[in-house]
Amino acid sequence: MPTAVQLPTGKALTVRAAANAFLDSLRNPNTVRSYSTGVGKTAERIGEGRPLGSVADDEIGEALELLWGTAAVNTWNARRASVLSWLGWCAEYGYDGPAVPAWTKRLAVPDSEIPARSKMAVDRLIARREVHLREKTLWRMLYETAARAEEILGVNIEDLDLAARRCPVKAKGARSKARRRRQAREDFVLETVYWDAGTARLLPRLIKGRTRGPVFVTHRRPGPGKVVSPRDVCPDTGLACLSYGQARALLDEHTAVRGPGTGWDVHEYRHSGLTELGVQGASLLMLMAKSRHKKPENVRRYFKPSPEAISELTRLLAPGGSSR
């Protein structure tokens, strides 16, 4: 977590001051160089002297489109990621400001597929000392549950069954329950996800001292102009639920080797967990139960064994059916 920078709060903070403070908070020189272009040019485009709180979300999206809308996919993703990190940093420190709008989406690289990371690669990343406990817990939980990132980020402490290592989640496409008198509209049919020892060791440390509210929260309270649902704010600390964009930016910061936007994606943990289970011999029906997919062909997209795993399998065809 970068050291806090003393700056005026709310609408007194200018776009340029916010950009400079964010870039100064980055400790890796390579990251600073990579982020400077996206953040600097975006700040120039929207007006460096303006109060950050006066900038609308769509202005950020329009600036990105005008500056890099026709650039290569990797360039677009890198510039978008740098601005996403900048504005996420501002929000985390409580500065009133815009967000990258949902319509400026990260683009898939042509002919690319979401990769499956090896169990060793996942373990090594989570074991790194500079990774914050929040990120360690989130990444481990995503891997062990093979759940979607939005599902896990939406979990509240009250939902956790720590003893049974499971919790209910609002799944993608969840249908509303049949409404009864005085029943809230937000009631949905929930599905259960399960984790194991890795997550079980980290979760109690992460939520220590808290008994309610989102499991994964920002390190700073939301700014005065930020509208947040009551469910997405810890009632005891005032900290807001970590957003999908912030989670993706944090993972990218720790894994990007060719500039912002080139690191891992949070969705890769779902692919990686299901692939590892498949390599270990889990049946298609068990993979469907774990992933909660209804169609076998959808699970097949997530199972991507490595060349080494296929080579090991091929040894079963050796003369005599024995391994070499």
Side-chain angles (χ1 to χ4, degrees):
M1 185 69 190
T3 303
V5 181
Q6 296 299 319
L7 285 173
T9 58
K11 296 185 181 300
L13 184 67
T14 66
V15 170
R16 173 44 59 189
N20 288 341
F22 167 68
L23 295 173
D24 289 343
S25 74
L26 302 174
R27 289 170 287 187
N28 188 319
N30 293 328
T31 304
V32 174
R33 282 193 292 270
S34 298
Y35 279 41
S36 292
T37 300
V39 174
K41 288 191 174 182
T42 302
E44 291 176 7
R45 186 76 198 184
I46 61 180
E48 296 179 312
R50 294 177 59 187
L52 182 65
S54 71
V55 181
D57 293 2
D58 283 347
E59 289 184 82
I60 296 293
E62 290 164 3
L64 289 170
E65 287 286 351
L66 287 169
L67 290 166
W68 300 290
T70 58
V73 171
N74 284 335
T75 300
W76 164 264
N77 287 339
R79 303 297 179 247
R80 178 187 175 277
S82 64
V83 174
L84 187 70
S85 295
W86 168 39
L87 298 179
W89 179 89
C90 291
E92 192 163 351
Y93 275 88
Y95 300 130
D96 188 13
V100 174
W103 54 267
T104 54
K105 297 182 180 295
R106 185 178 189 274
L107 301 178
V109 179
D111 301 324
S112 70
E113 292 184 341
I114 295 178
R117 306 290 176 177
S118 69
K119 186 175 185 297
M120 181 180 293
V122 171
D123 290 343
R124 284 179 174 175
L125 175 61
I126 295 174
R128 282 162 54 175
R129 296 183 64 181
E130 72 273 17
V131 176
H132 192 275
L133 175 61
R134 178 187 60 188
E135 283 78 79
K136 288 178 184 283
T137 309
L138 175 60
W139 301 343
R140 178 61 68 186
M141 196 170 184
L142 288 172
Y143 183 66
E144 291 187 356
T145 61
R148 300 173 182 88
E150 299 94 331
E151 295 171 343
I152 298 301
L153 290 170
V155 172
N156 274 21
I157 295 174
E158 306 95 296
D159 304 327
L160 300 174
D161 185 341
L162 295 176
R165 298 179 177 180
R166 63 188 178 190
C167 71
V169 297
K170 178 188 171 185
K172 180 180 179 181
R175 65 183 191 279
S176 300
K177 292 179 181 178
R179 289 191 68 204
R180 298 177 180 176
R181 184 176 297 179
R182 297 180 182 176
Q183 184 179 28
R185 289 185 181 276
E186 300 82 46
D187 285 349
F188 294 90
V189 176
L190 302 178
E191 298 178 356
T192 303
V193 297
Y194 302 81
W195 60 84
D196 203 71
T199 303
R201 284 193 294 268
L202 295 169
L203 263 178
R205 293 169 54 198
L206 179 68
I207 64 176
K208 185 177 180 180
R210 295 195 294 133
T211 59
R212 52 184 181 165
V215 173
F216 299 99
V217 294
T218 59
H219 292 307
R220 294 292 184 275
R221 295 186 179 188
K226 189 76 171 180
V227 179
V228 185
S229 166
R231 177 180 166 79
D232 293 335
V233 176
C234 174
D236 297 324
T237 65
L239 300 175
C241 178
L242 190 72
S243 71
Y244 181 88
Q246 290 171 324
R248 184 156 60 181
L250 287 165
L251 179 58
D252 185 72
E253 181 181 338
H254 285 286
T255 56
V257 294
R258 297 185 303 277
T262 64
W264 297 14
D265 190 281
V266 288
H267 201 54
E268 292 177 26
Y269 285 108
R270 180 167 165 85
H271 284 246
S272 303
L274 292 174
T275 292
E276 179 64 24
L277 291 174
V279 169
Q280 295 299 327
S283 68
L284 176 61
L285 289 176
M286 289 302 292
L287 288 177
M288 289 178 65
K290 179 68 173 175
S291 68
R292 293 165 288 121
H293 278 111
K294 304 300 185 289
K295 297 180 180 179
E297 58 267 28
N298 290 338
V299 180
R300 177 64 187 86
R301 294 191 303 112
Y302 286 77
F303 180 51
K304 299 176 181 178
S306 66
E308 292 75 18
I310 297 175
S311 177
E312 186 67 27
L313 174 69
T314 305
R315 292 184 180 184
L316 297 176
L317 302 176
S322 59
S323 298
R324 291 194 294 271

